[in-house]
Amino acid sequence: MTPDDDKAVIATLRSKYDELHSAEKRAADYIISDPSSVMEMSVAQLASKCSVSDATIVRMCQHVGYEGYYQMRLYMSKDLGRAGSIDFASVSNDPVGYAFDYDLAYLKSLTVDKNKAAIVEAARLIRSSNNVVVTAAGNTIPVALDLSFRLNRFSVKSFASAIEEQCVNYVSNSGKDDLLVAISKSGMTVRILQIIDYAKKHGLKVLAITGDEDSSMARQADCVVNSGGSNTVFSNIQNGLETHIGEHLVIDALLIVLDGLQTDQDRKEEAEFEIASWKV
């Protein structure tokens, strides 16, 4: 089944409504009643609002003709006048093309005004902090290490480690003029929540980069940047394959804003020249 090209998402949901199961109808009802708010929701957030599972949201989108939630949301953004459309490749006939199309839709969903404003606020928080500690867990640790490395190239004193105890050490030597950046797709990682709690006790502000703005991590943060919910393109294979492309995108945007906040005095190129001298 494919979506009706001549119909908006809301019209498509209404025309296919009787074909949906009861739980799927609850999701469709919510989308029809408030499409603008759905544009800023991850799969998990919409599922929570409708009291259904993440899988129900995805199945509902597929039952009315979309490849998944993010494709449906992109078409909806076109309906609301926020963005252009993408012609999605078939996952069975062109899996590589589908992967690219899916990620483009995924990234486009992060460009809502609310998230842009949060990224600007995050850059200002970083700029006003003496030290920045970046923490993550599991396969998100490389994202944290990359952010910390790049912040230092922006003359921001930043610390990160794959060893959790080391992050605790950094926090213990920090205070009210410093910042903890916590990165977690789910926003529910216990070790990260414990480090946030410890940082709060030491007076640090907290920036959360997460796919769930209603998570425990987000509720404790001073600033929340949405990096997109779990990528469901792999949901029929196994868990743990969520993309980090959203985190990398918002970090790139954050650094671009941060660069605009810098003065010529802030820009130090000694490290760049030194590293360049190591290369052939």
Side-chain angles (χ1 to χ4, degrees):
M1 184 188 295
T2 58
D4 298 329
D5 292 335
D6 59 338
K7 290 184 178 179
V9 171
I10 301 305
T12 299
L13 289 174
R14 285 174 173 153
S15 68
K16 305 284 180 67
Y17 187 83
D18 291 339
E19 303 173 21
L20 301 176
H21 301 298
S22 58
E24 295 171 349
K25 286 179 177 178
R26 288 207 302 274
D29 287 339
Y30 189 95
I31 295 168
I32 291 169
S33 67
D34 194 2
S36 295
S37 71
V38 174
M39 290 304 303
E40 300 183 4
M41 291 185 187
S42 65
V43 171
Q45 289 170 323
L46 179 57
S48 176
K49 290 286 186 182
C50 302
S51 300
V52 300
S53 68
D54 295 9
T56 295
I57 299 294
V58 176
R59 283 196 300 268
M60 183 274 294
C61 295
Q62 293 171 341
H63 284 170
V64 300
Y66 299 100
E67 296 280 4
Y69 174 67
Y70 289 100
Q71 186 198 24
M72 185 204 72
R73 197 168 69 174
L74 189 70
Y75 276 100
M76 224 160 65
S77 73
K78 177 188 175 185
D79 299 338
L80 296 174
R82 294 189 182 189
S85 64
I86 292 175
D87 294 326
F88 274 72
S90 166
V91 67
S92 56
N93 295 332
D94 184 7
V96 175
Y98 177 79
F100 279 105
D101 290 344
Y102 191 101
D103 279 347
L104 287 170
Y106 184 88
L107 297 178
K108 193 67 179 178
S109 72
L110 303 178
T111 63
V112 295
D113 290 343
K114 177 183 175 183
N115 210 36
K116 290 180 181 178
I119 291 170
V120 172
E121 181 186 352
R124 288 174 176 158
L125 261 180
I126 290 172
R127 184 72 271 167
S128 63
S129 300
N130 288 339
N131 299 293
V132 177
V133 181
V134 189
T135 188
N139 66 350
T140 311
I141 290 173
V143 180
L145 295 172
D146 177 67
L147 173 57
S148 182
F149 174 86
R150 296 168 80 186
L151 286 176
N152 276 289
R153 301 297 280 272
F154 277 80
S155 301
V156 174
K157 293 179 182 177
S158 180
F159 310 91
S161 176
I163 302 171
E164 293 155 14
E165 290 83 357
Q166 193 74 287
C167 289
V168 172
N169 286 342
Y170 293 144
V171 170
S172 69
N173 290 319
S174 304
K176 63 182 181 64
D177 295 321
D178 301 317
L179 176 70
L180 175 71
V181 180
I183 308 173
S184 170
K185 177 70 74 179
S186 69
M188 298 295 290
T189 306
V190 173
R191 287 168 291 179
I192 302 303
L193 293 173
Q194 290 171 334
I195 291 175
I196 289 174
D197 183 61
Y198 187 60
K200 286 286 191 179
K201 290 177 181 176
H202 280 260
L204 282 76
K205 290 185 174 62
V206 176
L207 163 60
I209 299 176
T210 180
D212 188 349
E213 294 174 283
D214 294 323
S215 64
S216 298
M217 186 174 99
R219 288 195 294 270
Q220 295 182 64
D222 298 281
C223 176
V224 180
V225 172
N226 187 351
S227 61
S230 295
N231 186 336
T232 56
V233 69
F234 294 118
S235 61
N236 61 334
I237 303 175
Q238 67 181 71
N239 294 324
L241 291 177
E242 292 88 356
T243 180
H244 287 109
I245 193 170
E247 285 76 18
H248 286 297
L249 173 68
V250 298
I251 286 170
D252 279 353
L254 191 158
L255 292 174
I256 289 171
V257 176
L258 187 62
D259 184 56
L261 297 176
Q262 286 193 309
T263 65
D264 289 337
Q265 186 175 4
D266 293 325
R267 294 182 172 88
K268 299 176 181 177
E269 298 181 337
E270 291 94 334
E272 187 68 43
F273 284 115
E274 180 64 23
I275 292 173
S277 70
W278 303 347
K279 300 174 182 177
V280 175

